[in-house]
Amino acid sequence: MRNWIKYLIVTIIVALLTNGGQLYFWNHYIDKMKTDYESEIQILSSTLEDIGKLKYVYSVRTQTKPGKEINLEDLVKVKVPESIINGSYAQEPEDLLGKYYKVSISPGTLITDDLLMKEEMDDTIRETDLIADTWSVGLEVGDYIDYEITYPYGEKYIVLSHIRVEAINEKTIKTYLTSVQRHIYNGALVDYFLQKENGATVNLVKYVEPGVQKPSEVSYSVPDNILSVITEDPNVIEKVNTKLNIEKRDIIEKGINLVSEFDSSNLSSGRSKIVSDINGAGKEYETILEKRLEEEEKEAERAAYENQKNAEQQNTQDGQNSEKGMMK
């Protein structure tokens, strides 16, 4: 009987010690997990403090079409850091209602003033491909540009103002132009073709902050024959001040007539070199950008692999520690 009682007491003591050890290691494991989570929460809190206060701006629920009037049903709120918001972002529905989409907007794109217009879209707007000798290095789809013509002696005129780049091809950019804008563009092309050998160029100049900067005033005036076509075109909605156009055109014609044969050769060769240098810089920029993107993709892949590897190692280590704790 006594041996049985001793055996029972020993068994109870061993069980208590074993369970106590397991409880100790289990509590230690729980404490470690709690510490890790608290550390992650602290890091996230610090990150949120760095981001700052969040505010609502607006995007769209579904893809929109240019010229469509904005409805309340189109809009969806998006939270963004207050630090990135400037005056061009819509923060209230009243800032948007009654306006029209200037371009197609995709879900996730934040709505800014430069993507909207107050008037209903001109029915004469068409896709148009613009040619140019040069454009700003690093020009991207969505940027806004002025289309300029520079005459042999350096007189520069703005042909098209605040035009959005819809697509970029090797030699042209695609944009949307009204009927009168297309007439003006064709007039500038005539001048360019006639004066190209004398050093004339056509160029695209990019806006730095299109949502903030005031659009340039068009300063170019078309030749008389183009002006006659614009005046008689039944599709033209925008009115052209014919008297002002004629006065400004006289200045352009006088400048053209002053170009001498001797100056023409020097101006043409000089401008050609500038165009070649800018286009070369553009190609170099594209090459550098492609390499940079490739390196960023590789770095992201390496980081993802390392994170996955570290996570797997941590899970394995945690599992081993847990098993050891349970065994003890």
Side-chain angles (χ1 to χ4, degrees), residues 287-303:
T287 301
I288 293 172
L289 184 61
E290 287 177 2
K291 289 182 178 179
R292 185 184 303 165
L293 291 174
E294 288 177 2
E295 290 174 357
E296 289 177 354
E297 288 178 1
K298 290 180 180 178
E299 183 60 33
E301 290 176 358
R302 283 196 294 267

Side-chain angles (χ1 to χ4, degrees), residues 128-132 147 159-160 177 180-190 220 222:
T128 308
D129 295 305
L130 305 181
I131 66 164
Y147 188 90
V159 180
L160 303 169
L177 298 183
V180 71
Q181 286 176 321
R182 294 196 301 278
H183 282 306
I184 294 172
Y185 171 60
N186 286 335
L189 286 183
V190 171
Y220 172 75
V222 297

Side-chain angles (χ1 to χ4, degrees), residues 9-67:
I9 292 172
V10 170
T11 301
I12 292 172
I13 292 172
V14 170
L16 288 173
L17 290 174
T18 302
N19 291 333
Q22 290 177 344
L23 182 62
Y24 169 79
F25 284 107
W26 179 252
N27 288 337
H28 177 72
Y29 178 68
I30 293 296
D31 289 340
K32 183 179 183 302
M33 288 181 63
K34 181 180 177 182
T35 302
D36 291 342
Y37 284 131
E38 288 176 348
S39 177
E40 290 182 11
I41 291 171
Q42 187 175 0
I43 292 172
L44 289 173
S45 299
S46 177
T47 303
L48 288 174
E49 288 178 5
D50 292 339
I51 292 174
K53 186 178 178 181
L54 297 177
K55 274 197 168 185
Y56 283 112
V57 293
Y58 285 89
S59 183
V60 292
R61 295 183 188 279
T62 58
Q63 186 88 11
T64 68
K65 292 183 178 180

